[in-house]
Amino acid sequence: MEKIALSIGEASYPEPFSIGLEYNPPVHVTWNIVHIGMQVPDSMQVYICATNCMRGVIMTAYEMGAEDRFACITLEESDILRGDMEKQIIDGVSESIRRYDKPLKAVIVFPVCIHKVLSTDLNYVYKTLRARFPDLIFMEAYMDPLSQKEGLPPDQRLRAVMYDGVQPLKCDGGVNLLGSEVVHDRYSDLCDLIKNRPLRQLQGMRYSDYLQLGASTLNICTYSGGDYGIQALSKRLNQDYLYLSSSFDYEEIDQQRTLLCERLGISAPEGEKEACEEALAALKGLLQDIEIVIDYVGITRPLSLARLLLDHGFHVTQVYLDTIFTEEKKDFDYLQAHYPHLTLLPTIHSHMRVYQNKDPDVLAIGPKAAYFRKTPHFVNMIENGGLWGYKGILGLCELMKEAYLEEKDPAVIVPRKGLGCECVL
């Protein structure tokens, strides 16, 4: 069998693994395009595809109890051969709107791969729909897995168009914290630093609140998957923009806190560095030499976290990731130089279907690491779980302590879709 586990000392940046045929582990806690799109208030989603592609998105909508905001136009072979795909989309979307019996402000339309293959004239489709329903916002999404490898992935495209209903308003000095599916609260420095201004996060918004995003002066994104969309929003509305990476390095945290405070026109307060040192020391005393493994689904900067924990004496042995993002390059270089035996493992390589072992004495940070190590001790989170800055480190220490003391069953928990999203199951 091809060697899968690599020491970071022998790994290459930015693609440490050669991945061909992919394995999709049964870990579904991340949000898919249905979950993400449902955050747009007073919206419905229309998918246009064959029944085999439809299965997953329909199930997600039903699991959320949001099937009444979901419509589909199923395609068969005869539909493709008829040569009037544009008319089918226009008629199908129009009928879906006419049947909709709830308040409706926006329609998110999802064509698929076949529409690209057939060179369907989507400009004509959207022009016709907008003329037919001038009071509605039509958001041009896509469900084309072909773009996973080339071009913008469907989730990143969606995070760009889902703000198309927002228009510039009279400025009220607010700050939008967007681009991710998690909420920042008591474990994020950002909430403290922005406490004297309106802070707007998308989750749970009414449509009137959604429109108020246009009154803010500054947009912040902390998740690389949302960076493209929030940059595009900022450019369209002429709003200031900051990408504040979710680092665990004190120096980088300080730099980003200072940058934000400059934009807010306030003095940067002292961070809680000493409190972090105390919390890390107490956690080390509790965990002793228990093995720790980290994945990129739970922690968006897994190498930054590995560096923090290793520098504080923790026994970090493995990091699960498929690529190394640009923002992790300095951490990669540092770990190569100081901890060359740290192991890197992919999550989607086909050999990972058998590269699993049950180990109750491991503490996993992230759902994929928990799945591959079959441990009952794990922190179940996605996209950093709203952790940011010094308070983020303090919050993670709490979550690691809780995971160490309280067992849970990964086989039951990590297959559930959309962590933190409404689910009726």
Side-chain angles (χ1 to χ4, degrees):
M1 178 182 289
E2 178 186 348
K3 184 178 180 182
I4 298 301
L6 293 176
S7 71
I8 197 168
E10 60 182 336
S12 301
Y13 169 87
E15 305 290 344
F17 307 105
S18 175
I19 297 173
L21 183 64
E22 294 184 4
Y23 168 60
N24 183 19
V27 179
H28 303 301
V29 293
T30 51
W31 288 33
N32 63 33
I33 51 177
V34 179
H35 297 114
I36 296 170
M38 288 296 179
Q39 295 177 99
V40 180
D42 292 348
S43 69
M44 69 178 298
Q45 300 180 24
V46 184
Y47 290 77
I48 311 137
C49 54
T51 51
N52 61 317
C53 301
M54 201 71 78
R55 177 178 176 274
V57 290
I58 288 177
M59 288 178 64
T60 298
Y62 270 81
E63 289 163 3
M64 297 178 67
E67 66 273 17
D68 55 346
R69 297 175 58 194
F70 183 97
C72 53
I73 303 168
T74 55
L75 298 178
E76 299 181 350
E77 187 174 359
S78 58
D79 297 318
I80 295 169
L81 297 175
R82 276 191 355 233
D84 62 347
M85 187 61 70
E86 291 83 0
K87 182 175 185 302
Q88 293 178 55
I89 297 174
I90 293 167
D91 291 348
V93 173
S94 298
E95 183 62 21
S96 300
I97 293 170
R98 293 190 184 103
R99 293 184 184 184
Y100 198 74
D101 59 0
K102 300 175 68 173
L104 184 62
K105 300 292 186 183
V107 182
I108 311 176
V109 183
F110 290 85
V112 294
C113 314
I114 191 66
H115 297 110
K116 287 187 174 178
V117 174
L118 296 175
S119 297
T120 303
D121 189 348
L122 292 175
N123 288 332
Y124 169 74
V125 168
Y126 287 116
K127 182 179 178 181
T128 304
L129 288 170
R130 285 172 179 135
R132 189 173 290 182
F133 302 98
D135 295 332
L136 295 180
I137 305 295
F138 287 90
M139 299 175 176
E140 303 180 24
Y142 248 111
M143 183 175 70
D144 54 342
L146 294 176
S147 294
Q148 295 282 5
K149 298 300 179 185
E150 294 183 6
L152 207 60
D155 63 313
Q156 292 192 33
R157 177 193 290 266
L158 178 57
R159 290 192 186 96
V161 302
M162 64 194 290
Y163 301 104
D164 281 357
V166 181
Q167 298 300 324
L169 295 175
K170 183 180 178 182
C171 173
D172 67 0
V175 178
N176 300 330
L177 184 47
L178 303 171
S180 172
E181 284 66 65
V182 296
V183 177
H184 286 246
D185 49 28
R186 64 192 179 107
Y187 287 136
S188 173
D189 288 3
L190 300 179
C191 295
D192 269 2
L193 297 174
I194 307 170
K195 62 184 178 183
N196 292 324
R197 294 183 179 224
L199 175 60
R200 301 185 171 101
Q201 304 186 66
L202 184 61
Q203 294 81 356
M205 274 187 170
R206 297 170 300 176
Y207 194 74
S208 57
D209 300 324
Y210 168 83
L211 294 177
Q212 280 300 116
L213 294 173
S216 295
T217 56
L218 173 63
N219 292 322
I220 296 174
C221 179
T222 62
Y223 177 51
S224 60
D227 182 39
Y228 171 84
I230 309 309
Q231 274 202 62
L233 171 70
S234 306
K235 185 176 181 181
R236 181 170 65 81
L237 300 185
N238 196 27
Q239 293 171 322
D240 199 2
Y241 175 67
L242 279 179
Y243 177 73
L244 300 176
S245 182
S246 299
S247 174
F248 291 89
D249 174 70
Y250 292 158
E251 184 178 345
E252 191 174 349
I253 291 171
D254 282 337
Q255 289 172 352
Q256 296 192 101
R257 283 168 53 94
T258 299
L259 183 61
L260 173 59
C261 289
E262 287 174 357
R263 298 295 179 93
L264 296 175
I266 61 174
S267 301
E270 278 293 316
E272 298 178 71
K273 194 179 301 180
E274 288 185 10
C276 288
E277 288 293 298
E278 292 174 5
L280 288 165
L283 183 64
K284 178 67 175 68
L286 175 68
L287 301 184
Q288 297 295 316
D289 290 326
I290 189 171
E291 184 181 353
I292 297 173
V293 297
I294 305 168
D295 77 41
Y296 79 96
V297 171
I299 300 294
T300 55
R301 295 280 304 270
L303 296 183
S304 178
L305 177 58
R307 175 178 174 176
L308 173 77
L309 295 178
L310 285 165
D311 280 350
H312 285 79
F314 290 87
H315 184 41
V316 181
T317 60
Q318 296 177 339
V319 176
Y320 291 80
L321 47 74
D322 298 301
T323 189
I324 299 166
F325 294 115
T326 305
E327 58 189 352
E328 292 262 83
K329 178 63 165 62
K330 283 179 63 176
D331 300 303
F332 175 76
D333 292 341
Y334 181 89
L335 291 168
Q336 267 199 328
H338 295 86
Y339 304 101
H341 299 298
L342 175 68
T343 299
L344 302 184
L345 282 154
T347 70
I348 60 173
H349 194 288
S350 59
H351 290 178
M352 291 303 289
R353 73 195 189 283
V354 294
Y355 196 94
Q356 303 164 29
N357 53 329
K358 189 170 184 176
D359 194 337
D361 296 324
V362 169
L363 175 61
I365 304 174
K368 285 199 173 182
Y371 171 76
F372 286 119
R373 297 303 297 266
K374 310 294 185 195
T375 175
H377 300 286
F378 65 101
V379 178
N380 192 32
M381 66 162 66
I382 59 169
E383 300 173 11
N384 252 47
L387 307 177
W388 196 93
Y390 292 111
K391 286 191 179 299
I393 293 173
L394 294 172
L396 184 61
C397 287
E398 288 295 317
L399 294 171
M400 290 174 66
K401 177 182 176 181
E402 180 181 307
Y404 174 73
L405 296 175
E406 300 176 14
E407 295 188 358
K408 47 186 176 287
D409 187 350
V412 173
I413 294 174
V414 302
R416 294 176 183 167
K417 285 182 182 176
L419 178 65
C421 188
E422 185 176 351
C423 181
V424 297
L425 296 181

